[in-house]
């Protein structure tokens, strides 16, 4: 022992260290995992700008787009009926009230004047019946959504009339019946694609930025180094971050669904809507792997922010988060197929309001998790503990 | 007893810079050990290699008889590391911060809170770490390094940027930590800090250890002169030289710069006697050699932190 300057004797203490046997080690991992999760949730909850950016900002878009597009496709399609149309005229009583909720039918005599109105967009369609029972529907495609809904409604009415006629004639029930939900499906209201689209964008934003900024921030502030010098497994660190991002994403989902299903926006959830929960969890993991990659490449928080934005925004546009990709050129659609957000948006739309079931969600969940595995492996190669 | 730290021939190069150039050192259990040197001397890199954060290009390190690299989860609970920068989670209070770090080691909240009190932050427990002063953040950082009761503690420039009062408070804390039997390794670029705290100091420059020893022994080895100064104008230089020579005092240097009259000597007693006789003791200062002088002699240049 070297000479000491202190006057008091030094006693090298016997330190048991509470970190001894295996049972203890197991308990520690659990407690490290939960306390890390808690620390990250508290950081997030107290960070007003992050809270706004991740939780409120996407919700504002839902309110804005939802309200703007609401008028564009009011359920009232305006239809002119030329002369007598048996299938329409025969709908009376309660059925008539239901029909008038979706179709505003005006009776006219001048067919060519009515067609001019359709061309100008004052009317959505003209209906007339030939003497031999053929029903002619002439519509404008200026508003595709409404054109589709008019067609769908008419189609359904004709089908029902046919079935009734068949039953009357033969005394047998029809061989084929149409699912009554078809009417609902055909009339794609904006809220039906806005909700999954904007929700997907919100989940992607939260998870990509959450993962990349946390990683870079921790590296810059040497928190990563401190974690590395503590007996905490990398699994605990990653798992706690996943749990925090997932909780955030599920909270976003809940808020979105509550807002979208208000009578004002009128989203109607279909049977297996709960499948959105496993879908959002898988998507969060996939988006976090993007953030992990961005955070592994970026050296500063500014760079991580930029890289994340460059990925999230174009991905959202190409995935149909803000508008549908139906009319996009084929090559863009092909690119879009490679994006995890596209798969989430499609599957979410399907299970939320279009009657999709487990088989619509499962393949998407597989794709999302596979995507996450690939990107995580790449990130592991690029990962750095320190910025020097 | 196994040495707390033994390092042999460690080298680390960054591009063209040989940051650590063959450092070997041994730290005994219970020792307060300092690595002293100016910025860029290679102290921090050396410390990082010892802690096991960095793999040296060459050389071998053992902490408590175990290799710190690759990451060794058995060793980690036995060491505590405080960082230069305050590495905390965002938007957490001091209490939440230390409890989170303590939980990584299976240390409960009670002990974490006790540690907070120990470093004098009990009244700051509810403050966000972002709102703490430099001294408070350093103390919290040290508390986080100590909460799990480690045997071996690494402190990287713990008092940098603190005001003198905060530095002295921190010194008391560090001395207590060491007295409890913990081995403490500290880097610093303050000579006085090393002199006050450390049992042994290694003086480092350009990636090499120039000299190692107890601060007092290093200074004594220096065989340097003592410098005596008094206020100017009490005694003329010529008269002073005359009197001192008559008294048989040994004078290495004598000058008056208009502010102070200063005499350097190896034997201060006769000079002090003459000055007292002449009633010329106003503003008296007697300054022995310090680590600063040791550094000057070892490196041939002025010490600049």
């Amino acid at each position: 022992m070297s000479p000491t300057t202190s006057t008091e004797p030094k006693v090298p203490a016997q330190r048991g260290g509470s970190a001894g046997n295996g049972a203890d080690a197991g308990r520690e991992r659990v407690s490290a995992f939960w306390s890390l999760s808690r620390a990250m949730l508290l950081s997030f909850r107290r960070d007003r700008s992050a809270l706004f950016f991740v939780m409120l900002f996407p919700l504002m878009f839902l309110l804005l787009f939802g309200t703007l597009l609401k008028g564009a496709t009011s359920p009232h399609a305006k239809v002119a009926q030329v002369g007598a149309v048996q299938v329409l005229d025969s709908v009376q009583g309660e059925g008539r009230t239901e029909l008038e909720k979706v179709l505003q039918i005006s009776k006219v005599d001048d067919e060519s004047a009515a067609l001019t109105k359709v061309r100008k967009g004052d009317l959505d369609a003209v209906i007339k019946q030939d003497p031999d029972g053929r029903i002619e529907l002439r519509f404008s495609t200026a508003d595709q959504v409404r054109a589709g809904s008019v067609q769908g409604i008419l189609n359904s009415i004709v089908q029902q009339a046919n079935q009734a006629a068949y039953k009357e004639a033969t005394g047998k029930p029809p061989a084929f019946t149409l699912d009554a939900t078809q009417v609902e499906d055909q009339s794609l209201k904006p809220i039906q694609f806005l909700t999954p689209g904007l929700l997907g964008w919100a989940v992607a934003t939260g998870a990509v930025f959450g993962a990349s900024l946390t990683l870079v921030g921790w590296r810059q502030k040497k928190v990563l180094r401190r974690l590395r010098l503590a007996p905490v497994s990398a699994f605990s660190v990653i798992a706690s971050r996943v749990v925090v991002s997932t909780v955030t994403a599920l909270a976003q989902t809940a808020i979105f669904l509550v807002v979208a299903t208000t009578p004002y926006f009128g989203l109607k959830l279909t049977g297996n809507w709960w499948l959105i929960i496993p879908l959002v969890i898988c998507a969060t993991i996939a988006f976090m792997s993007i953030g992990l990659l961005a955070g592994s490449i970026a050296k500063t928080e500014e760079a991580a922010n930029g890289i994340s934005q460059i990925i999230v925004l174009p991905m959202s546009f190409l995935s149909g988060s803000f508008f549908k990709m139906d009319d996009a050129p084929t090559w863009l659609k092909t690119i879009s197929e490679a994006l995890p957000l596209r798969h989430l948006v499609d599957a979410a739309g399907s299970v939320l309001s279009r009657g999709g079931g487990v088989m619509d969600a499962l393949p998407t969940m597989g794709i999302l998790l596979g995507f996450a595995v690939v990107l995580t492996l790449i990130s592991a190669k690029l990962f750095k503990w320190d910025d020097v | 007893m196994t040495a707390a730290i033994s390092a042999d021939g460690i080298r680390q190069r960054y591009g063209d810079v040989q940051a650590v150039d063959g450092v070997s050192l041994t730290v005994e259990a219970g020792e307060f050990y300092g690595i002293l040197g100016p910025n860029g001397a290679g102290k921090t890199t050396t410390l990082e290699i010892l802690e096991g954060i960095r793999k040296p290009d060459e050389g071998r390190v053992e902490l408590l008889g175990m290799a710190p690299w690759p990451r060794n989860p058995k060793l980690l609970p036995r060491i505590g590391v405080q960082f230069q920068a305050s590495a905390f989670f965002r938007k957490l209070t001091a209490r939440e911060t230390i409890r989170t770090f303590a939980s990584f080691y299976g240390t409960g909240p009670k002990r974490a809170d006790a540690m907070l009190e120990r470093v004098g932050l009990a009244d700051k427990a509810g403050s966000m770490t972002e709102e703490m002063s430099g001294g408070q953040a350093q103390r919290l950082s040290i508390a986080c390094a100590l909460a799990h009761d480690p045997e071996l503690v690494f402190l990287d420039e713990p008092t940098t940027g603190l005001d003198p009062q905060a530095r002295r408070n921190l010194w008391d804390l560090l001395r207590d930590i060491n007295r409890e039997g913990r081995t403490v390794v500290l880097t610093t670029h303050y000579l006085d800090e090393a002199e006050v705290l450390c049992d042994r100091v290694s003086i480092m420059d350009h990636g090499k250890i120039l000299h190692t020893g107890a601060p007092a022994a290093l200074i004594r080895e220096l065989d340097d002169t003592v410098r005596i100064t008094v206020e100017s104008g009490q005694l003329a230089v010529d008269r002073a030289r005359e009197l001192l020579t008559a008294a048989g005092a040994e004078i290495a240097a004598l000058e008056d710069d208009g502010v102070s009259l200063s005499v350097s000597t190896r034997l201060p007693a006769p000079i002090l006697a003459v000055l007292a006789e002449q009633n010329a003791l106003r503003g008296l200062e007697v300054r022995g050699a310090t680590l600063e002088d040791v550094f000057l002699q070892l490196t041939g240049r002025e010490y600049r932190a």
Side-chain angles (χ1 to χ4, degrees):
Chain A
M1 190 104 169
S2 65
T4 70
T5 49
S6 80
T7 49
E8 286 173 41
K10 291 181 184 176
V11 190
Q14 288 299 311
R15 274 161 222 294
S18 47
N21 58 56
D24 270 357
R27 201 188 61 230
E28 276 158 34
R29 259 199 299 283
V30 171
S31 96
F33 164 72
W34 285 114
S35 65
L36 257 178
S37 306
R38 187 169 169 275
M40 281 187 273
L41 263 181
L42 281 175
S43 297
F44 176 67
R45 213 184 62 200
R46 288 174 187 161
D47 187 343
R48 293 227 178 104
S49 64
L51 213 54
F52 170 80
F53 188 52
V54 172
M55 302 299 275
L56 278 184
F57 191 55
L59 191 64
M60 279 166 52
F61 268 69
L62 180 70
L63 297 177
L64 187 71
F65 281 176
T67 305
L68 280 179
L69 296 180
K70 201 172 142 69
T73 46
S74 78
H76 275 277
K78 281 182 246 161
V79 173
Q81 175 186 340
V82 184
V85 177
Q86 202 192 334
V87 289
L88 288 180
D89 296 340
S90 66
V91 182
Q92 291 302 333
E94 204 180 308
R96 186 81 196 175
T97 326
E98 283 299 307
L99 180 62
E100 278 171 359
K101 276 186 186 168
V102 288
L103 279 189
Q104 187 185 330
I105 304 166
S106 53
K107 296 192 176 170
V108 295
D109 295 321
D110 188 348
E111 188 188 349
S112 62
L115 274 176
T116 311
K117 281 188 174 178
V118 170
R119 283 196 192 96
K120 281 186 180 167
D122 295 337
L123 278 173
D124 294 307
V126 174
I127 303 170
K128 102 180 174 173
Q129 185 173 5
D130 287 354
D132 55 0
R134 198 170 65 92
I135 295 167
E136 196 182 314
L137 174 73
R138 305 186 67 180
F139 58 90
S140 150
T141 54
D143 184 340
Q144 291 194 346
V145 176
R146 206 175 304 185
S149 90
V150 170
Q151 280 186 78
I153 294 163
L154 258 295
N155 213 355
S156 155
I157 292 169
V158 171
Q159 295 274 9
Q160 278 174 19
N162 276 341
Q163 285 164 14
Y166 180 81
K167 193 177 178 186
E168 206 168 294
T170 61
K172 284 187 282 185
F176 304 101
T177 52
L178 197 65
D179 192 330
T181 60
Q182 194 73 13
V183 172
E184 193 88 44
D185 266 2
Q186 289 273 332
S187 61
L188 238 196
K189 292 182 203 157
I191 195 71
Q192 280 181 293
F193 67 82
L194 280 179
T195 309
L198 292 175
L199 175 63
W201 170 57
V203 169
T205 302
V208 172
F209 282 83
S212 67
L213 292 182
T214 302
L215 182 55
V216 175
W218 281 9
R219 185 163 51 221
Q220 274 193 315
K221 289 186 78 186
K222 310 281 181 207
V223 173
L224 267 189
R225 185 182 270 203
R226 187 163 236 162
L227 288 173
R228 192 186 182 191
L229 281 176
V232 189
S233 66
F235 177 81
S236 297
V237 178
I238 294 168
S240 56
R241 184 63 239 182
V242 169
V243 162
V244 170
S245 282
T246 306
V247 166
T248 312
L250 291 176
Q252 283 174 320
T253 309
I255 295 171
F256 259 67
L257 292 189
V258 165
V259 171
T261 53
T262 51
Y264 180 73
F265 291 114
L267 179 72
K268 292 211 167 41
L269 297 176
T270 53
N272 289 314
W273 67 269
W274 57 269
L275 282 168
I276 191 71
I277 295 169
L279 271 174
V280 163
I281 293 174
C282 294
T284 305
I285 295 170
F287 296 137
M288 284 185 70
S289 72
I290 296 178
L292 197 61
L293 186 61
S296 296
I297 297 167
K299 286 206 164 62
T300 62
E301 288 203 25
E302 289 76 14
N305 206 344
I307 294 174
S308 301
Q309 197 62 268
I310 281 174
I311 296 170
V312 170
L313 211 56
M315 176 169 79
S316 303
F317 277 111
L318 287 176
S319 299
S321 274
F322 303 110
F323 44 77
K324 297 197 66 65
M325 285 289 288
D326 294 349
D327 301 325
T330 321
W331 64 272
L332 267 185
K333 284 185 185 168
T334 314
I335 294 177
S336 135
E337 286 293 326
L339 303 171
L341 182 54
R342 169 66 194 271
H343 294 276
L344 171 68
V345 169
D346 285 354
S350 169
V351 299
L352 279 182
S353 66
R354 307 182 73 186
V358 177
M359 287 324 291
D360 294 281
L362 267 186
T364 301
M365 284 154 66
I367 290 169
L368 290 171
L369 291 180
F371 182 89
V373 168
V374 172
L375 256 69
T376 306
L377 288 177
I378 298 173
S379 309
K381 290 271 174 213
L382 300 172
F383 182 82
K384 286 189 204 78
W385 283 98
D386 273 298
D387 48 7
V388 280
Chain B
M1 192 189 254
T2 352
I5 302 176
S6 80
D8 192 21
I10 52 177
R11 275 172 216 280
Q12 175 87 52
R13 172 181 280 280
Y14 300 129
D16 291 339
V17 184
Q18 188 71 50
V20 180
D21 194 5
V23 166
S24 300
L25 54 87
T26 306
V27 180
E28 301 298 335
E31 205 175 359
F32 203 130
Y33 186 87
I35 300 175
L36 175 68
N39 285 333
K43 304 186 300 287
T44 298
T45 307
T46 303
L47 202 66
E48 286 172 358
I49 290 169
L50 296 181
E51 291 162 355
I53 289 172
R54 213 173 271 289
K55 183 183 188 294
D57 296 337
E58 274 177 60
R60 189 194 53 81
V61 182
E62 270 190 11
L63 299 189
L64 307 164
M66 290 180 264
W69 184 280
R71 190 174 182 261
N72 184 346
K74 271 200 186 127
L75 177 62
L76 297 175
R78 298 175 65 189
I79 65 173
V81 177
Q82 176 261 339
F83 293 97
Q84 246 172 340
S86 296
F88 302 128
F89 295 104
R90 298 173 60 204
K91 306 260 175 196
L92 290 197
T93 64
R95 186 190 292 117
E96 287 160 355
T97 300
I98 191 167
R99 283 183 175 188
T100 304
F101 284 119
S103 76
F104 299 160
Y105 299 86
T107 302
K110 258 193 193 159
R111 200 182 136 73
D113 292 354
M115 202 63 227
L116 210 53
E117 198 172 335
R118 169 93 194 273
V119 298
L121 288 176
D123 55 331
K124 288 281 165 192
S127 306
M128 295 287 162
T129 55
E130 284 92 344
E131 292 158 9
M132 300 177 93
S133 72
Q136 289 165 349
Q138 285 290 23
R139 275 185 283 159
L140 176 60
S141 188
I142 291 170
C144 289
L146 292 174
H148 60 285
D149 199 12
E151 294 162 58
L152 174 55
V153 184
F154 292 96
L155 306 163
D156 194 7
E157 302 190 358
T159 62
T160 299
L162 300 192
D163 61 64
Q165 182 60 42
R167 274 181 86 200
R168 264 159 226 290
N169 290 344
L170 205 54
W171 286 355
D172 290 339
L173 174 68
L174 298 182
R175 258 193 293 241
D176 287 347
I177 289 165
N178 178 241
R179 266 177 212 159
E180 288 165 3
R182 293 185 179 87
T183 311
V184 180
V185 178
L186 161 126
T187 67
T188 182
H189 55 230
Y190 297 118
L191 295 148
D192 56 341
E193 186 162 290
E195 210 170 332
V196 166
L197 291 174
C198 298
D199 297 330
R200 274 198 308 150
V201 192
S202 283
I203 295 174
M204 214 177 159
D205 199 26
H206 298 304
K208 286 191 170 98
I209 290 183
L210 304 176
H211 205 40
T212 303
L218 286 179
I219 292 162
R220 246 175 266 131
E221 273 172 41
L222 195 58
D223 187 30
D224 203 7
T225 53
V226 176
R227 194 176 166 86
I228 300 165
T229 54
V230 292
E231 233 178 75
S232 209
Q234 303 176 76
L235 194 59
V237 180
D238 296 341
R239 177 79 181 129
R241 190 181 302 279
E242 205 174 291
L243 288 168
L244 290 172
T245 315
E250 181 220 334
I251 308 166
L254 174 66
E255 57 171 5
D256 190 332
D257 61 1
V259 180
S260 321
L261 175 76
S262 39
V263 194
S264 297
T265 178
R266 284 193 177 77
L267 294 163
I271 294 171
L272 287 169
V274 168
L275 289 173
E277 226 168 76
Q278 298 297 316
N279 197 18
L281 287 176
R282 197 155 15 100
L284 173 72
E285 256 180 69
V286 182
R287 191 177 151 273
T290 62
L291 272 176
E292 217 153 314
D293 302 304
V294 176
F295 186 85
L296 180 67
Q297 194 187 332
L298 287 172
T299 63
R301 57 198 174 85
E302 209 58 59
Y303 183 86
R304 271 188 304 272

